[in-house]
Amino acid sequence: MKRLTIKDIAKEFNVSISTVSKALNDSYEISVSTKEKIQKFAKENNYKPNFNALSLKNRQTKTIGIIMPNMLNYFFAQVFNGIEKVANEKGYKIISCISNESHTKEVETMEMLSNGSIDGFILSMAEETVLKNNFKHFDEILQNGTPIVMFDRVAESINCDKVITDDFKGASKTVKYLAKSGSKNIAFISTISNLKVGKKRHQGYLKGLEKAGLPINNNLIINILEEDYKKYESILTPIFNDNEIDAVITTDESSAIAAMKVAQKKGHKVPENFAVVSFSNGILARHSSPKLTTVSQHGEQMGETAAELLINRLEDKSEEEPEHKTIIIKTDLVERNSTKKS
């Protein structure tokens, strides 16, 4: 028989996990009638406290655990800055870990930190976790009363707060922008086609073509699953030689710069007769030649929002657990020199 958890009791009485924890500990903050009901139910159902989970709720560490999939991506660094800013303002410390896109590392890190080291997690899932579709570790941690806020790469089946970007609209609007300035053969280059964010951008690209009345050419949908960005140029060169391409939308800056170099080697002039737009508004975009037009995902804003969601939940004193929220951050086009000015 499955062991009764604090979360089960909270569900039974439609109250927050912290309310159950306080009631079981006879806290003066909880009304006598609520305490009696909860204590009676726990006793009748042979509830055995998980001291790890209880100590988390009763002894706040004022520390947040952050798990990033990788730190090479400038977007994640921007998110980290946003989290740190809000955490500092609210008096929270942070412990940051990198999963390195590994499911095992993500699971081990969460187990290690949820032993009372932190009050809650902010995380973006490792690529391996997404591909394995294995989210058991998130459920277990939530059941033990440790809140999680997911950002960017989120698991829809997990009931927690989430912060995501409107990737679909971002890609669709970019196609419209390029078509308006005269591009007719717009390629889509993705290095994350196996992740949901990559799929959303792909769908947005297709919708954008449809809206602009441009045909879909499957030869111009290029999925690069090679992790070594140094090889991007050699992958793209034959595709550019065999197809007419006058613009590209890419899911990251490295593939955008590789595409721009290949186009320039073929004799294209950027932006006069070849346009490049990349997702993620990072350092590379500002230092490439010419400078890249980007779809900004507002990483810092995403980090700030995630930190506020988590801290508000940790500090919520109401007896009923607040509803989980999914907040969508709108993207913006940052125009630079790799596209014609609209």
Side-chain angles (χ1 to χ4, degrees):
M1 196 179 134
K2 186 176 169 284
R3 169 176 160 169
L4 187 76
T5 66
I6 283 192
K7 192 168 186 180
D8 298 329
I9 303 172
K11 218 171 184 177
E12 176 71 25
F13 293 99
N14 196 22
V15 295
S16 73
I17 288 165
S18 65
T19 297
V20 175
S21 176
K22 285 170 184 169
L24 294 172
N25 281 283
D26 216 19
S27 165
Y28 67 91
E29 290 177 60
I30 308 299
S31 68
V32 176
S33 63
T34 302
K35 265 195 292 199
E36 281 175 356
K37 273 190 296 191
I38 288 172
Q39 287 171 1
K40 185 169 179 268
F41 179 83
K43 197 175 177 185
E44 283 170 0
N45 289 278
N46 202 19
Y47 168 73
K48 297 273 187 298
N50 174 336
F51 290 104
N52 257 349
L54 281 173
S55 72
L56 279 175
K57 277 294 156 204
N58 298 332
R59 182 183 55 80
Q60 273 206 324
T61 63
K62 296 283 277 186
T63 305
I64 293 167
I66 302 170
I67 303 178
M68 298 280 182
N70 67 70
M71 269 314 243
L72 296 174
N73 186 321
Y74 186 69
F75 166 69
F76 290 125
Q78 287 176 309
V79 175
F80 181 83
N81 283 343
I83 296 169
E84 193 175 41
K85 185 180 161 201
V86 170
N88 280 341
E89 282 167 9
K90 308 251 178 169
Y92 281 75
K93 299 184 291 295
I94 54 181
I95 294 175
S96 57
C97 302
I98 316 294
S99 68
N100 255 337
E101 306 292 7
S102 154
H103 172 77
T104 307
K105 187 138 190 250
E106 186 178 86
V107 172
E108 285 170 357
T109 303
M110 292 187 83
E111 276 174 7
M112 176 188 75
L113 292 179
S114 61
N115 65 358
S117 306
I118 52 109
D119 297 337
F121 286 103
I122 297 174
L123 64 91
S124 186
M125 292 191 295
E127 189 172 340
E128 218 174 58
T129 303
V130 177
L131 298 180
K132 283 185 169 181
N133 204 26
N134 183 345
F135 309 139
K136 208 170 92 199
H137 53 305
F138 301 135
D139 261 331
E140 284 168 1
I141 276 162
L142 288 164
Q143 275 185 3
N144 273 341
T146 306
I148 296 173
V149 176
M150 291 183 176
F151 71 88
D152 192 49
R153 302 178 194 172
V154 305
E156 290 198 353
S157 59
I158 298 295
N159 192 16
C160 67
D161 293 320
K162 292 160 192 158
V163 190
I164 55 173
T165 307
D166 197 341
D167 289 287
F168 179 88
K169 254 194 193 150
S172 171
K173 285 192 305 196
T174 304
V175 174
K176 183 184 174 184
Y177 163 80
L178 289 169
K180 217 170 157 186
S181 58
S183 301
K184 290 193 167 42
N185 301 296
I186 304 165
F188 176 74
I189 302 171
S190 177
T191 56
I192 50 168
S193 56
N194 49 2
L195 298 179
K196 192 159 183 235
V197 287
K199 291 184 175 102
K200 287 269 186 207
R201 288 173 196 176
H202 179 205
Q203 288 160 1
Y205 161 78
L206 296 176
K207 189 70 183 169
L209 290 179
E210 187 193 309
K211 281 185 169 175
L214 295 171
I216 292 165
N217 178 352
N218 287 322
N219 294 336
L220 303 191
I221 297 165
I222 305 154
N223 294 316
I224 305 176
L225 291 176
E226 169 62 62
E227 284 179 21
D228 185 357
Y229 64 88
K230 294 179 187 127
K231 293 180 183 168
Y232 290 178
E233 277 182 60
S234 57
I235 292 167
L236 293 173
T237 300
I239 299 168
F240 276 53
N241 287 338
D242 296 344
N243 296 280
E244 210 176 303
I245 300 172
D246 57 14
V248 293
I249 299 168
T250 71
T251 58
D252 69 302
E253 294 171 345
S254 297
S255 59
I257 288 167
M260 190 151 67
K261 281 184 182 169
V262 172
Q264 286 167 330
K265 277 180 191 164
K266 270 185 65 69
H268 288 302
K269 296 237 178 315
V270 180
E272 289 81 357
N273 62 5
F274 196 95
V276 184
V277 181
S278 156
F279 269 81
S280 179
N281 185 24
I283 293 171
L284 288 178
R286 291 188 274 270
H287 294 286
S288 67
S289 179
K291 291 175 182 171
L292 276 178
T293 292
T294 57
V295 180
S296 174
Q297 296 157 265
H298 301 295
E300 200 153 323
Q301 188 190 342
M302 190 174 256
E304 287 174 16
T305 307
E308 277 161 9
L309 278 174
L310 181 63
I311 292 167
N312 288 346
R313 190 166 284 277
L314 290 170
E315 297 185 347
D316 185 81
K317 294 283 184 274
S318 62
E319 288 195 10
E320 283 196 22
E321 191 167 7
E323 287 287 306
H324 288 108
K325 295 176 182 170
T326 294
I327 293 175
I328 300 168
I329 308 279
K330 285 188 178 135
T331 59
D332 281 320
L333 201 69
V334 180
E335 289 186 74
R336 294 198 184 91
N337 306 335
S338 67
T339 53
K340 290 175 192 164
K341 292 280 176 265
S342 64

